[in-house]
Amino acid sequence: MKQSLSLLLILVVAAGTVFAQTGGKREPAAGAERELLKANREYDDALVGGDTAALGRIYGDEFTYTSTGGEVLNKAQQIELLRSGALKIESGSSEGVEVRRYGDTALVLGYFKAKGQFKGQAFDSTERYISVWVKRGGRWQLVAEQGTAVPRQ
């Protein structure tokens, strides 16, 4: 599964780079960056609000999340964590967000600081993430995300 995620990331970025180099018409970079920052905020809000319907729209069908502990979850599994109450994010937001766009593919990098409960255990964490977004049907969808725990200082 780990190799599949790596291959997906490489293929998505390579395809986006090739397309971007072909000179296809796109909205100005600033407009796309605003769209991605907005989509990323909506993702944060959906996680904190436990909005599984919004997550269903945000995540692509092939969505894969690799957690800070190395667990790999698909779209249905990630949504079920919130739906079941196993994951409750009481507060959280992204910081230091950076967008790198390659045609209809983009990487969004940042930190997600959150407090909540996971399977009954309280957490207060900072996660460094990289997420892969693909533009489909005029909107950005999240197809892969990797989180790395940032140790407390």
Side-chain angles (χ1 to χ4, degrees):
M1 189 69 159
K2 194 176 198 180
Q3 291 174 331
S4 297
L5 179 60
S6 297
L7 181 58
L8 171 68
L9 181 60
I10 290 167
L11 290 174
V12 167
V13 171
T17 302
V18 168
F19 187 80
Q21 292 173 353
T22 65
K25 286 191 170 185
R26 294 285 175 257
E27 69 274 13
E33 184 173 340
R34 277 193 305 273
E35 287 179 6
L36 284 155
L37 291 171
K38 181 178 184 244
N40 199 63
R41 278 191 305 276
E42 289 170 356
Y43 178 40
D44 287 357
D45 292 345
L47 286 172
V48 173
D51 188 343
T52 57
L55 290 172
R57 291 186 302 275
I58 292 167
Y59 294 149
D61 289 340
E62 72 276 58
F63 175 77
T64 303
Y65 173 67
T66 304
S67 74
T68 58
E71 184 178 9
V72 178
L73 302 170
N74 64 28
K75 176 180 180 175
Q77 292 167 322
Q78 183 71 1
I79 289 173
E80 184 56 29
L81 279 177
L82 286 160
R83 185 184 337 269
S84 70
L87 175 61
K88 295 178 187 174
I89 301 174
E90 296 157 7
S91 66
S93 63
S94 289
E95 296 179 6
V97 179
E98 177 184 344
V99 174
R100 298 180 189 170
R101 182 171 170 243
Y102 308 92
D104 285 342
T105 303
L107 303 177
V108 176
L109 303 89
Y111 293 91
F112 186 71
K113 293 186 176 189
K115 291 182 182 181
Q117 291 193 20
F118 183 66
K119 297 182 179 176
Q121 298 294 314
F123 69 84
D124 180 354
S125 66
T126 300
E127 172 183 312
R128 176 76 171 140
Y129 66 85
I130 182 168
S131 54
V132 181
W133 294 78
V134 177
K135 192 161 193 180
R136 297 178 173 147
R139 67 184 178 94
W140 292 96
Q141 277 197 304
L142 182 57
V143 296
E145 185 171 35
Q146 165 98 35
T148 302
V150 176
R152 290 194 161 275
Q153 304 276 336

